[in-house]
Amino acid sequence: MFPVHRPRRLRSSEILRSMVRETVVAPSDFIYPVFVTYGQNTRREISSMPGCYQESPDLLLQNVREAWNLGVPSVILFGIPEHKDPSGTGAYAKDGVVQAAIRQLKDALPDLVVITDVCLCEFTDHGHCGIVKDNRVLNDPTLELLARMAVSHAEAGADMVAPSDMMDGRVGAIRKALDAHGFGQIPIMSYAAKYASAFYGPFREAAESTPQFGDRKTYQMDPANARESLHEVGLDLEEGADIVMVKPALSYLDVIRIIRDRVHIPVAAYNVSGEYSMVKAGAKLGYLDGDRVMLEILTSIRRAGADLILTYHAKEAAALLNR
Ligand code: PBG
């Protein structure tokens, strides 16, 4: 033992530390979540998420082009429609806000990997992720709408779809519909282990998707459960998921790790709105160094086993990592 072993020997300079570093974070690991709204020349900052915006497709393109130029290969699109209704019609409309944004982004940046969030909650007036009857969220009737939504995204040119609704059987339903419409090559990134989390608070302001009654606990997972995530992941794999996601990330690093150790497909983690807002708030108050905390968080998510990170920090982190 000591003095033969001195772990500090390999910590003596930055170059040496970089040689023995186990985990690397790179801009190519990031998927940048963005919020598209109707109209033109419109950009509204989300008050609880400084640096994040609701943007019309024209300004969204500027924002996404900056991310692309920083080496961020992919975005995930969330839509805020002009009108909402009980069955979320705007979600699968040919000229819907997301569909229009996909066309515009792919037109300008053909190599950008455009992923779409497949979920009804931004498009329903009750704010739930499925069809509601007698104050209950119905599973099976929702599947058909999700499948339609996924197909309409693929028709608009999306490269990948990401169902986040947590209805049972949705990956299979979407796979079947995509295949039937000639989109057999479009991968599905499943929000496989998505927890009913208070960390989504700021997102619901951003996406205007707060449920108008009750909560999402009848479909999203109980934060106390880790083993159950393996069950969810197993089902999604059988149904044809190409990538599985854990969400949120920070309070669920153990879940990322157990899933990483058991599956052989890519694992993604969603560094969600509340995780982002806490860093921004802490930095603004001067309580912590926002940039360093951000990079440490992203590193921890990679170290836990995530191959890909969905993060609102994508642009600022990429800019720092490129230095
Ligand atoms: C839609 C959806 C949510 C998030 C991603 N897709 C919100 C929710 O389930 O209430 C959260 C993302 C975030 O907090 O950053 N179902």
Side-chain angles (χ1 to χ4, degrees), residues 81 83-93 119-133 137-138 141-149:
H83 304 291
K84 304 187 184 217
D85 60 31
S87 48
T89 313
Y92 35 91
C119 187
L120 296 175
C121 64
E122 296 116 65
F123 302 90
T124 52
D125 50 10
H126 46 69
H128 276 290
C129 304
I131 293 290
V132 169
K133 203 177 163 200
V137 178
L138 304 183
T142 301
L143 299 182
E144 193 203 316
L145 300 184
L146 294 169
R148 262 166 70 183
M149 187 177 180

Side-chain angles (χ1 to χ4, degrees), residues 144-252:
E144 193 203 316
L145 300 184
L146 294 169
R148 262 166 70 183
M149 187 177 180
V151 169
S152 85
H153 291 168
E155 280 170 346
D159 297 294
M160 193 184 311
V161 294
S164 69
D165 51 282
M166 287 303 275
M167 296 301 124
D168 295 329
R170 84 256 202 240
V171 173
I174 289 170
R175 184 71 273 157
K176 206 169 138 205
L178 287 174
D179 292 356
H181 286 82
F183 296 112
Q185 82 289 3
I186 299 286
I188 298 175
M189 175 166 71
S190 160
Y191 289 67
K194 178 174 178 180
Y195 289 87
S197 171
F199 285 99
Y200 307 151
F203 174 94
R204 292 183 188 170
E205 180 204 330
E208 300 173 9
S209 63
T210 307
Q212 295 307 298
F213 66 89
D215 52 40
R216 303 208 203 288
K217 290 180 186 167
T218 67
Y219 40 107
Q220 298 180 347
M221 286 176 59
D222 183 338
N225 294 357
R227 285 194 306 265
E228 189 187 359
S229 71
L230 295 175
H231 185 49
E232 284 282 4
V233 163
L235 294 173
D236 286 2
L237 282 182
E238 281 173 26
E239 291 175 35
D242 299 279
I243 300 175
V244 286
M245 191 204 300
V246 175
K247 177 186 177 189
L250 259 196
S251 292
Y252 301 85

